[in-house]
Every structure is written in structure tokens, then in C-alpha cells.
């Protein structure tokens, strides 16, 4: 259970690509900002970042730069404020060939811990949990996980596997968001998306 008197860091992920996790993360940030909360949206998907595209922001500097830079001062303060909102976005920034090497260190946790003093809520968009190990590393620095699935795309087997993978860390799963309920109106498919796994990354 999240502490209402403490800034919460919520990780948003999905079993595989294309299930709408980044859209859900951005919409969650918007929803919280409408409740007069100051929100930080972090794009921690350093392999296929999309937050800067969704929000039409610059991606010249961001999380990747902070994780690589020993000082990190410029990147730490590189979050961009969305006009007429209380949403600040820290985009992915520098491309890193092996993100898992830096995401598992202390620098990400330090960044998020410092941000707790400034923001009411922190939303972290991460890679699909079954595609790469990055998400499990990031989860260690977060308070809760929000899983995202899509009707007619997310199959039960993959969702179960994703939950099992998240069971390897102590961060609890707070819920599941199902996309396209009205548009598709079906159940979970068994088609899968395993062909994308090999190409997820560089």
C-alpha cells in the first residue's frame, strides 16, 4: 500500500512492446497533475524511448546523460515543464549501448530519492518486462509497479510470465491497466509478440 503522506515512485511497464505502457504513464501523470500534484515523468526506457515524442519535447539531454556523467548536475536539472501543467518530464537523453549496466547502479536510486523532496508523485516509464532485464533493475528503486496490457495482444501466458519475473523483486504490483477495452471488446489473445523481442534494443 502506498503511503499517502509520502511521494510515491510508480513504475509503469508491460509484458511486451506495443501495449501502451508509455501512453498510460503519460496519462497517469496528467491525471495526477489535475489533482494539483507536481509530477515528474521519467523515461527510463533507454532502448526505445518515446516520452519526448509523445510530449513533443527535446531529447538532447536526460536520464542517460545523468547516469553516465560522474557529476550529473546538468542532466539532473534537465527535466522539462509542460506548459499549463505541473508535469515535468525527464527524457531519456544519451543513447547507451547497454543500459542495464547503469540502471542497476546507485545513481538512479539517488536521482529518484532526491526527486521525492521536490515532487508529489514520480512516474517511471520502463521497457517491457519480458524483453530485457532493465525493468527489474529499475523496480528496486521504485515503490510500486503498474502493469499494462492490451486486449487482443497481451496473452495470458505472457502476462503470467511477466508477473513471475516481477516476483523476483520486492516491489509490489499495484494493479493492471487493460487498453482497448471498448475498441476491441475481446479477451486476451494467444498470438503473442515474441518476434519483437530480438529487435528490442540496438
Amino acid at each position: 500500500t502506498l503511503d499517502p503522506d509520502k511521494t510515491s515512485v510508480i513504475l509503469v511497464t508491460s509484458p511486451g512492446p506495443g501495449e501502451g505502457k508509455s501512453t498510460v504513464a503519460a496519462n497517469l501523470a496528467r491525471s495526477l497533475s489535475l489533482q494539483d500534484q507536481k509530477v515528474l515523468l521519467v523515461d527510463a526506457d533507454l532502448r526505445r524511448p518515446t516520452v519526448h515524442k509523445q510530449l513533443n519535447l527535446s531529447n538532447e539531454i536526460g536520464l542517460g546523460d545523468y547516469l553516465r556523467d560522474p557529476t550529473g548536475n546538468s542532466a539532473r536539472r534537465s527535466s522539462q515543464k509542460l506548459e499549463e501543467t505541473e508535469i515535468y518530464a525527464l527524457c531519456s537523453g544519451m543513447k547507451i549501448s547497454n543500459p542495464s549496466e547503469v540502471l542497476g547502479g546507485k545513481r538512479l536510486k539517488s536521482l529518484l530519492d532526491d526527486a521525492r523532496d521536490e515532487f508529489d508523485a514520480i512516474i517511471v516509464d520502463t521497457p517491457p518486462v519480458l524483453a530485457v532485464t532493465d525493468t527489474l533493475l529499475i523496480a528496486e528503486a521504485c515503490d510500486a509497479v503498474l502493469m499494462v496490457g492490451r486486449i487482443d495482444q497481451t496473452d495470458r501466458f505472457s502476462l503470467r510470465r511477466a508477473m513471475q519475473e516481477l516476483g523476483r523483486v520486492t516491489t509490489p504490483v499495484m494493479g493492471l491497466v487493460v487498453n482497448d477495452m471498448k475498441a476491441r471488446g475481446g479477451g486476451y489473445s494467444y498470438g503473442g509478440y515474441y518476434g519483437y523481442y530480438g529487435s528490442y534494443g540496438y
Side-chain angles (χ1 to χ4, degrees):
T1 303
L2 298 177
D3 185 348
D5 298 322
K6 174 185 174 184
T7 295
S8 297
V9 181
I10 302 173
L11 182 154
V12 181
T13 190
S14 60
E19 294 172 316
K21 64 178 181 58
S22 298
T23 300
V24 169
N27 286 338
L28 178 58
R30 291 188 181 97
S31 177
L32 292 173
S33 73
L34 291 175
Q35 300 175 40
D36 295 325
Q37 295 194 43
K38 186 179 180 181
V39 184
L40 176 64
L41 175 61
V42 180
D43 192 344
D45 189 343
L46 301 182
R47 300 173 190 266
R48 288 189 176 179
T50 59
V51 167
H52 67 286
K53 296 177 182 178
Q54 287 191 345
L55 303 180
N56 195 28
L57 298 172
S58 169
N59 197 34
E60 291 185 3
I61 189 170
L63 179 62
D65 301 85
Y66 169 75
L67 295 175
R68 280 297 192 197
D69 182 4
T71 60
N73 291 328
S74 59
R76 180 192 293 265
R77 303 181 185 282
S78 65
S79 60
Q80 303 168 69
K81 186 177 186 297
L82 275 65
E83 293 184 4
E84 300 181 357
T85 73
E86 280 300 308
I87 301 173
Y88 293 74
L90 178 60
C91 298
S92 62
M94 175 191 293
K95 289 186 177 180
I96 298 176
S97 59
N98 191 357
S100 59
E101 291 183 353
V102 293
L103 289 169
K106 296 180 179 179
R107 294 184 62 76
L108 177 61
K109 186 177 187 305
S110 175
L111 174 68
L112 296 176
D113 285 345
D114 288 347
R116 291 177 191 268
D117 296 330
E118 183 178 353
F119 295 92
D120 300 310
I122 303 169
I123 311 300
V124 185
D125 182 29
T126 72
V129 69
L130 295 181
V132 288
T133 60
D134 302 4
T135 301
L136 298 184
L137 298 172
I138 299 167
E140 297 285 2
C142 301
D143 299 316
V145 175
L146 184 63
M147 181 71 73
V148 178
R150 188 182 296 276
I151 287 292
D152 288 344
Q153 179 170 332
T154 308
D155 60 80
R156 293 184 179 91
F157 175 72
S158 297
L159 182 60
R160 188 179 299 115
R161 279 188 57 208
M163 293 296 293
Q164 290 172 345
E165 286 296 304
L166 289 168
R168 296 166 55 188
V169 297
T170 58
T171 310
V173 177
M174 64 184 297
L176 169 69
V177 174
V178 181
N179 279 329
D180 288 353
M181 286 289 289
K182 293 181 179 179
R184 300 181 183 274
Y188 288 108
S189 77
Y190 289 86
Y193 33 65
Y194 299 103
Y196 287 92
Y197 286 0
S199 62
Y200 200 93
Y202 296 102

